[in-house]
Amino acid sequence: TLGRGGDADLALRLTAAGPGDDVVDIGCGPGVAVRRAAGRGVASAVGVDPSAEMLHVARALTRVSRRRSAVRYLEGSVEALPLGEGAVSVAWSIATVHHWRDLDAGLAEVRRVLRPGGRFLAVERLVDPSASGHASHGWSEEQAELFAERCLGAGFAKAEVGRDSSGRREVLTVLARQD
């Protein structure tokens, strides 16, 4: 629950999520970005995570949130998002793409749940290309470029790589846009 506020603020800024947007946080963990989105006044914010334990924590922390009526948490994975077609205008995955089992299936699902004109943002910690173990959890610059290419290959109209400081570390971002 600590240290993710900067990532959440970055996701909100880069996707320009605000009133009228329906947002899904893929791999939401304890729900920090979901609650920040709700606090920003989005129409709805859904957190999806494969871990029942993380969802329990997210729900408990959200009970004390002022905008909890705009928030839902659902168990699921990026490869099988528990949302209808065109359900959201904004999707993001913060520090979780490196855990996706099947990038192509995940990107197809993200496209399925996004409305026309929707935005998808992936944020990963900048890592050294030779890193191993936990230190490799993130992207090198080359991996971010390859992910952007995969987004285009999956049918996104645009995919741009960016670099930013999020809190106390550098991150790489890929912002993709639906037709």
Side-chain angles (χ1 to χ4, degrees):
T1 61
L2 300 174
R4 292 289 184 207
D7 292 337
D9 292 340
L10 177 65
L12 286 161
R13 180 171 53 86
L14 292 179
T15 62
D21 279 313
D22 294 298
V23 176
V24 63
D25 180 0
I26 303 162
C28 68
V32 173
V34 176
R35 287 187 298 282
R36 290 264 173 120
R40 184 70 64 86
V42 299
S44 69
V46 177
V48 174
D49 202 280
S51 168
E53 292 82 13
M54 277 286 107
L55 293 171
H56 177 76
V57 170
R59 287 180 183 114
L61 291 171
T62 300
R63 282 194 215 6
V64 298
S65 171
R66 286 177 279 151
R67 289 267 347 240
R68 67 178 182 238
S69 63
V71 174
R72 293 186 300 148
Y73 293 102
L74 303 171
E75 191 168 343
S77 69
V78 69
E79 296 88 1
L81 291 169
L83 299 169
E85 190 169 324
V88 298
S89 52
V90 174
W92 60 55
S93 180
I94 300 172
T96 61
V97 170
H98 66 271
H99 290 296
W100 292 12
R101 292 185 191 139
D102 185 333
L103 285 178
D104 295 325
L107 289 171
E109 274 293 276
V110 171
R111 285 203 67 231
R112 181 185 68 77
V113 302
L114 273 178
R115 293 181 193 127
R119 291 96 65 204
F120 168 57
L121 177 70
V123 178
E124 288 286 344
R125 176 173 63 124
L126 175 63
V127 298
D128 185 286
S130 63
S132 62
H134 183 57
S136 70
H137 286 203
W139 283 334
S140 66
E141 290 181 353
E142 181 181 357
Q143 288 171 312
E145 292 290 342
L146 289 171
F147 186 76
E149 288 175 22
R150 292 290 274 275
C151 288
L152 294 172
F156 283 94
K158 282 180 160 182
E160 300 169 343
V161 176
R163 189 174 185 154
D164 212 301
S165 290
S166 174
R168 60 185 187 272
R169 61 181 187 203
E170 271 197 286
V171 295
L172 295 171
T173 62
V174 173
L175 179 60
R177 296 184 185 276
Q178 183 90 297
D179 292 346

